[in-house]
Amino acid sequence: MGLPLSSLARIGAYTLKQHIRGGKYPLVLMLEPLFRCNLACPGCGKIDYPDAILNQRLSYDQCMAAIDECGAPAVSIAGGEPLLHREMPQIVQGFLERKKLVILCTNALLLKKKIDDYQPSPFFTWSIHLDGDRQMHDEAVDLEGTYDVAVEAIHLAKAKGFRVQVNCTVFDGADPARLATFFDKMEALGVEITVSPGYAYERAADQDHFLNRERTKQFFRDVFRRGKGGKAWTFTNSPLFLDFLAGNQSYECTPWSMPLRTVFGWQKPCYLLGEGYVDSFAELMEGTDWEQYGVGKYEKCANCMTHCGFEGTAATDAIRHPLKMLSVARKGVRTEGAMAPDIDLSRQRPAEQVYSSHVERELAKIEAADPAAAKRVAGRR
Ligand code: SF4
């Protein structure tokens, strides 16, 4: 089940128009209206904050302002767990009324309870977090039984007429054969797959299981080989991004293509890397020294191959070289032969440690806005 033609046409027209205009433009607004989650996955770098920050929420008005400011044709809502946000049904509705494509990412633990707060629409998709088969997923989220809850939620959402996809993050140690079998199962269920290697978040509890670029490329070749170069499965990822994952494209990232708005503000420079926060999208675009970031430029970027950094590059490449894109889509991803040369890492600048200053700044803001919270915050430092 691909995207409806009307959505594709809308996004295609937007992308082409922006491309012709030149300059930097966003494809998808990444929205994290809260950091609080009902899971604590070891590979997650998003939830390691004091309670005062985990209790913050972006309001409905802030969420609408974010999409109006950046103008992206699609919004992906994550977190934290978005279904913990009381205003989430209104937020989704607000985006749909603005004719945006809405992807609501959830671990599905609350989906059964909340599903009737939402209406099926060709422009609304449930994106269920599922990092592989039962054992792979339950290990990744560190909670037994989560896979079964998610699969039950997929059946329920499909039975009620919703569009459903899974988002699958791959970590080091994953078995290509098992992941391919999992993809077969999703295909049989009629569910699309968004796949990405995990980004090595500096605050993630488990730092030992992120894939480096060499292992990522070989891993995806080993997976796609088992599924006709990936053609056996229906991905939401673009063919050229999949080709990049398999080591056939040398891409630099496009960090502004999926800008992130969180309770801290707009995150500099990208969805994955929190090096600073600003109050407006314009400040993000104009006030970020983009040349400071990317593979080969900055140590924290060295192993990044994630969809939020490189799908934008693949989209631009597809506009410039449509025949190349069509050829990969038709023949599948090449899984044998030489890989494209990778970017030299020898001159990247060293990582800067900025996490504590963001947390301190945010806590100070919370205390100033709500002095009663100061005691609670102080107690947790
Ligand atoms: S490589 Fe690009 S997308 Fe990845 S973390 Fe660095 S700036 Fe962000």
Side-chain angles (χ1 to χ4, degrees), residues 291-312:
E291 280 310 304
Q292 293 287 311
Y293 301 103
V295 179
K297 296 176 186 160
Y298 191 35
E299 207 171 48
K300 289 184 191 175
C301 297
N303 288 315
C304 177
M305 292 184 77
T306 70
H307 68 301
C308 14
F310 292 88
E311 273 287 12

Side-chain angles (χ1 to χ4, degrees), residues 1 4 20 28 51 53 115 124 130 182 210 233 264 273 321:
M1 180 176 63
I20 291 166
V28 180
D51 268 0
I53 291 175
I115 196 163
F124 173 63
L130 214 44
F182 168 70
F210 292 112
W233 309 303
F264 293 163
L273 205 51
H321 304 105

Side-chain angles (χ1 to χ4, degrees), residues 74-92:
V75 53
S76 174
I77 309 170
E81 169 52 50
L83 295 190
L84 291 172
H85 193 308
R86 290 210 185 102
E87 286 183 292
M88 193 45 59
Q90 294 93 300
I91 291 169
V92 167

